[in-house]
Amino acid sequence: MVRRMIISERKVKSRAALLGITLGELNEKAGFGEHAIYRMWGKDRITLNTLNRISNVLGCDIADLLEEAEAEDRRILSADRLGKAATEYTTANFPTQ
């Protein structure tokens, strides 16, 4: 299973609250466009520069702002493998006489 890390909305909000700053102030101090911080939640494609800017404003390490995302189990069978599996199931469960 592949581990997927995302920026944690909960961790960022908690850290900002501890420092007494709003997300709007965090957004401004990090030098982002209006409401940019809100569009980051749950995204796994955030640059290291962006993470650095957020962690610098919050006075913490980048790792303190990340969490592991729930990974979807994507088991995709090719048409050949699916056909073989169906044949094996049919043969095992419905023998011909």
Side-chain angles (χ1 to χ4, degrees):
M1 181 183 296
V2 176
R3 289 181 59 199
R4 188 174 141 238
M5 302 301 289
I6 59 171
I7 189 166
S8 170
E9 178 179 2
R10 178 185 54 81
K11 290 180 179 183
V12 171
K13 285 180 176 180
S14 294
R15 187 72 186 182
L18 284 173
L19 296 173
I21 63 173
T22 67
L23 292 181
E25 291 168 329
L26 169 61
N27 204 46
E28 185 179 319
K29 289 179 181 188
F32 300 137
E34 190 174 0
H35 305 295
I37 194 83
Y38 300 102
R39 293 188 293 271
M40 293 179 201
W41 307 140
K43 300 252 195 281
D44 60 352
R45 304 257 184 218
I46 297 176
T47 66
L48 187 56
N49 180 46
T50 297
L51 291 171
N52 265 327
R53 289 161 65 182
I54 295 169
S55 67
N56 285 339
V57 172
L58 296 177
C60 63
D61 292 329
I62 290 172
D64 297 332
L65 304 176
L66 301 177
E67 66 184 18
E68 192 168 348
E70 296 293 324
E72 295 179 24
D73 188 8
R74 297 179 188 227
R75 295 182 183 162
I76 301 172
L77 295 174
S78 67
D80 290 342
R81 287 183 59 205
L82 184 58
K84 183 179 178 187
T87 301
E88 289 171 357
Y89 176 82
T90 304
T91 303
N93 293 298
F94 305 102
T96 57
Q97 294 181 344

